[in-house]
Amino acid sequence: MRFEYTDGKNEDFIGLCHSLDDFLNSLVGGEENRADYIPYNALDDIHDVIVVYDEDNPIGCASFKKYDNKCAEIKRVFIKEKYRGKGISQKLMAKLEGLAKNQGYSFFILESGEPLVAAMKLYYSIGYKVISNYGPYVDMKNSICMRKAL
């Protein structure tokens, strides 16, 4: 496994984000059922990305963007199905947390939801705690927001 630091314009990251969108669409019964979330997953503001490779094959990604001076928001975490359950996501998240900490961030926040069973299990297992919904997710009843001190 190779972990490559890059940005939101990386072709492999963009491809993995399309795979994530396809996964989410299948999970919730189509893009129309997650239309309220789509505007908050644009890649324009994402400058900090890690892509995971198995040899030259991109198999996963995670990223963050600035929320405020002390806090960054995790975005677009995804591991291809064939590679799930192998501890890759924990390593990926640890590297992402280290990158944010090195940039001076004190906290990570994220938005997830109950249908994302594996993601929620990951976040709980590495120390994320549920918080009140923040920002655009305040009135989204299917959102679960979380936070972790770095």
Side-chain angles (χ1 to χ4, degrees):
M1 295 292 136
R2 182 176 94 246
F3 295 83
E4 185 175 303
Y5 297 86
T6 186
D7 61 30
K9 296 181 183 347
N10 178 281
E11 296 280 330
D12 292 332
F13 175 63
I14 292 168
L16 288 163
C17 287
H18 290 306
S19 296
L20 171 57
D21 290 335
D22 291 344
F23 170 74
L24 294 171
N25 288 342
S26 69
L27 193 64
V28 300
E31 188 171 297
E32 63 277 1
N33 292 328
R34 60 181 200 87
D36 291 343
Y37 296 89
I38 292 172
Y40 308 113
N41 289 313
L43 304 183
D44 301 345
D45 296 334
I46 296 177
H47 305 290
D48 295 285
V49 173
I50 301 174
V51 176
V52 185
Y53 292 89
D54 179 8
E55 297 186 13
D56 289 330
N57 180 30
I59 62 160
C61 61
S63 62
F64 67 84
K65 67 179 187 178
K66 179 180 181 176
Y67 188 76
D68 61 33
N69 288 336
K70 294 276 184 191
C71 186
E73 182 182 22
I74 297 173
K75 304 299 288 183
R76 313 309 296 184
V77 177
F78 180 71
I79 301 290
K80 286 184 177 179
E81 188 171 2
K82 173 182 170 183
Y83 294 90
R84 294 178 191 160
K86 300 177 187 279
I88 298 167
S89 59
Q90 290 88 342
K91 291 176 187 169
L92 178 59
M93 291 300 294
K95 289 184 180 299
L96 196 71
E97 290 170 2
L99 181 61
K101 192 173 182 177
N102 286 341
Q103 291 184 22
Y105 291 106
S106 301
F107 300 94
F108 257 156
I109 55 173
L110 63 85
E111 182 275 335
S112 191
E114 285 183 25
L116 297 166
V117 175
M120 294 297 295
K121 183 178 176 184
L122 166 69
Y123 299 139
Y124 283 124
S125 75
I126 59 175
Y128 286 79
K129 306 285 186 220
V130 173
I131 59 170
S132 298
N133 287 6
Y134 62 87
Y137 310 109
V138 167
D139 294 323
M140 293 187 182
K141 63 181 173 134
N142 293 322
S143 288
I144 297 173
C145 293
M146 303 180 91
R147 178 179 181 209
K148 180 180 179 181
L150 299 175

